[in-house]
Amino acid sequence: MAETAAGQPYEYRRRELVEPDWTRFPGWRDVTAAQWQSAQWQRVNCVKNVKQLRAVLGDLVDDTFYADLEADQQRLATMSMLIPPQMLNTMVPDAAPDTASFTADPIRNYMLPIASDRRRDWPSHPHSARDSLHEHDMWVAEGLTHRYPTKVLAELLSTCPQYCGHCTRMDLVGNSTPAVAKLKLVQKPADRYEAHLTYLKAHPGVRDVVVSGGDVANVPWRQLEAYLMGLLSVPTVRDIRLATKALMGLPQHWLQDDVVEGMHRVAVTAERRGVNLAVHTHVNHVNSLTPMVARAVRTLLEVGVRDVRNQGVLMRGVNATADDLLDLCFALQGEAGILPYYFYMCDMIPNAEHWRVPVWHAQQLQHDLMGYLPGYATPRIVCDVPFVGKRWVHMIADYDREHGISYWTKNYRTSLEAGDSEALTKLYAYYDPIDTLPESGQAWWRKQQAA
Ligand code: SF4
């Protein structure tokens, strides 16, 4: 990090949140505040294709950008396009964008990837995979992943109000793209949810349920409330975490009367039963935080949700500098009421190499973040190692920097390793992006690939 005038690598200055003026976009010149605050208006006016993006941006951005975006959608994208106006409005927030500023914008970078963003030499790592964390392999009921001994991940549905280019669940989430035919959930939601509850009742050692998707903001409220009340009726469930990026991407959803009233009922029930109810969101850049997001967070806390936490993803071109992460964390903690909890290294999915950072870079960032934020609000940077799970980035057992292979150990068995006597003693590999390796390492991978 370069030093500031105060002689420190990073200098904190309070910056209050600002809602960017949406009327700077030609397509939204006449949109009123009442429309903007309506969740329904936001959903109806999501941008789903290049034509709709043009209708909003008009000639601010030139044809080369739109062609680049179309090329990505047609050949490389693992996620289809879906951006609520709230999120689009946080791109180039201070001015009407032009092609250069829009292309360089960090939120554009991961929400509207263009073909020229991706690496030509190594678009995907040879060890990348559609379901890189093997969550589907560990389903114990449809959509219920049992990976850690005491915790499960419940995927209630496969849609979100917004689709992120780097989505780790690109195998299941969203519409199929020309590059990826998606896996489909086949059971009726009611049957799927019932099967989850049956599993939890039969496995009292599972105490923690991450309720996710997709994004729970797309589950019709009555269904979601019934599911949560079902979880709260299982006495062995002690932690419930709701995963919703929409808290940032579509905060209007979480401010609707029926949702607020329903969350209040769920929070009161959780409190009475001594269950920790929290909401986890996914913010990657400080520009995503606006007064509307802070209001939605405050409302959740007011109705009794115990905590709202952030799980961001570390990505080149978006936030992979200490300054970016500290700016984001101070705004989360100091302005939006969200605890900076984790930053994940971007998973090894196809066509994501331009976003991924090597482990040594993540370690350096963790080092550079220490000491600025309150200790409890200092995020951990974690690597989700295939077949292992989340590890802090300094927990490597060994590291071959030349070939970009880090080795990790684990201290529990997943459902896939019941009969594997070496599961707890062997080493598990994770791979750095090849373009970040020394030339000798890159040559080695080219040779492997050719063979
Ligand atoms: S909100 Fe989450 S699940 Fe949905 S596309 Fe983004 S990263 Fe994937």
Side-chain angles (χ1 to χ4, degrees):
M1 290 166 88
E3 291 200 355
T4 63
Q8 296 290 357
Y10 179 85
E11 194 175 334
Y12 168 72
R13 281 283 174 275
R14 182 172 181 199
R15 265 175 284 164
E16 292 187 26
L17 304 181
V18 177
E19 206 75 49
D21 175 10
W22 57 84
T23 62
R24 74 190 184 287
F25 291 108
W28 294 335
R29 215 152 260 161
D30 300 321
V31 173
T32 64
Q35 286 174 310
W36 194 261
Q37 285 162 23
S38 154
Q40 206 195 347
W41 185 90
Q42 289 278 334
R43 285 189 189 262
V44 168
N45 288 280
C46 278
V47 167
K48 301 184 211 63
N49 53 49
V50 172
K51 192 170 161 218
Q52 291 175 345
L53 184 65
R54 253 184 207 278
V56 177
L57 301 181
D59 296 335
L60 294 176
V61 169
D62 67 28
D63 286 347
T64 54
F65 178 85
Y66 294 117
D68 210 353
L69 179 60
E70 187 68 46
D72 197 76
Q73 289 285 305
Q74 289 307 320
R75 291 191 288 112
L76 302 165
T78 54
M79 299 298 291
S80 57
M81 198 188 299
L82 183 63
I83 309 185
Q86 169 77 24
M87 255 194 120
L88 190 51
N89 192 36
T90 59
M91 298 178 196
V92 196
D94 300 329
D98 58 20
T99 306
S101 61
F102 197 67
T103 305
D105 185 85
I107 296 167
R108 190 293 302 161
N109 182 295
Y110 81 93
M111 291 304 294
L112 281 172
I114 51 181
S116 60
D117 289 336
R118 316 246 186 200
R119 294 206 65 86
R120 294 240 169 102
D121 49 357
W122 295 99
S124 304
H125 194 282
H127 287 278
S128 66
R130 292 173 55 126
D131 179 14
S132 69
L133 302 180
H134 303 275
E135 289 178 335
H136 182 209
D137 297 338
M138 296 180 208
W139 276 5
V140 289
E142 188 179 74
L144 191 68
T145 300
H146 193 171
R147 181 153 71 126
Y148 301 96
T150 57
K151 310 186 256 189
V152 288
L153 165 74
E155 293 161 317
L156 296 199
L157 80 177
S158 60
T159 66
C160 309
Q162 63 284 308
Y163 291 134
C164 317
H166 66 289
C167 180
T168 200
R169 291 200 189 111
M170 45 72 72
D171 188 36
L172 173 76
V173 170
N175 306 313
S176 293
T177 67
V180 183
K182 306 279 168 142
L183 186 73
K184 295 271 178 249
L185 294 169
V186 293
Q187 282 185 326
K188 287 194 189 126
D191 296 342
R192 187 168 346 113
Y193 302 166
E194 191 56 43
H196 292 186
L197 287 179
T198 303
Y199 185 84
L200 290 169
K201 286 175 191 158
H203 293 82
V206 178
R207 59 171 301 290
D208 180 357
V209 184
V210 176
V211 184
S212 184
D215 186 320
V216 294
N218 268 15
V219 183
W221 179 261
R222 277 162 180 249
Q223 268 183 36
L224 182 59
E225 184 169 342
Y227 187 89
L228 296 173
M229 291 301 194
L231 291 183
L232 288 168
S233 73
V234 182
T236 45
V237 171
R238 312 308 300 149
D239 266 275
I240 298 176
R241 303 184 255 170
L242 289 176
T244 174
K245 185 172 177 122
L247 185 58
M248 169 273 273
L250 186 66
Q252 294 84 349
H253 169 83
W254 291 101
L255 287 164
Q256 295 173 109
D257 289 346
D258 61 331
V259 175
V260 173
E261 286 158 17
M263 276 304 283
H264 181 59
R265 288 190 292 273
V266 173
V268 166
T269 309
E271 171 66 21
R272 283 195 191 129
R273 298 190 183 167
V275 175
N276 301 298
L277 176 72
V279 169
H280 283 197
T281 193
H282 170 188
V283 186
N284 295 330
H285 195 275
V286 65
N287 290 357
S288 296
L289 295 172
T290 75
M292 182 88 72
V293 177
R295 183 149 74 88
V297 174
R298 220 169 32 243
T299 304
L300 286 173
L301 295 172
E302 278 167 10
V303 300
V305 169
R306 181 169 161 167
D307 207 355
V308 178
R309 307 180 187 119
N310 186 52
Q311 303 190 165
V313 177
L314 202 56
M315 284 178 280
R316 286 192 268 180
V318 180
N319 59 10
T321 69
D323 283 358
D324 284 335
L325 295 180
L326 285 168
D327 285 351
L328 169 56
C329 290
F330 278 115
L332 288 165
Q333 171 72 4
E335 312 303 327
I338 302 174
L339 186 79
Y341 171 42
Y342 272 154
F343 285 103
Y344 287 92
M345 295 181 68
C346 182
D347 291 320
M348 288 197 295
I349 55 159
N351 294 344
E353 289 307 274
H354 65 294
W355 283 311
R356 294 202 312 118
V357 300
V359 169
W360 59 263
H361 184 94
Q363 290 177 331
Q364 183 66 47
L365 288 172
Q366 181 74 79
H367 173 272
D368 292 349
L369 296 186
M370 301 306 290
Y372 285 92
L373 291 141
Y376 69 91
T378 300
R380 292 174 190 161
I381 302 182
V382 292
C383 181
D384 209 335
V385 182
F387 296 111
V388 174
K390 281 177 278 301
R391 306 277 103 168
W392 304 348
V393 287
H394 282 85
M395 291 174 70
I396 44 179
D398 206 351
Y399 194 3
D400 171 356
R401 285 280 298 267
E402 184 185 5
H403 302 109
I405 309 175
S406 49
Y407 296 94
W408 309 74
T409 55
K410 63 193 284 186
N411 54 330
Y412 46 77
R413 287 189 166 80
T414 65
S415 49
L416 300 177
E417 296 143 342
D420 182 351
S421 61
E422 292 175 5
L424 304 189
T425 50
K426 70 183 174 197
L427 295 176
Y428 297 82
Y430 182 83
Y431 302 92
D432 287 346
I434 293 170
D435 68 281
T436 65
L437 303 182
E439 179 46 36
S440 59
Q442 297 194 32
W444 183 83
W445 278 103
R446 281 194 292 271
K447 221 163 131 191
Q448 300 293 308
Q449 187 82 332

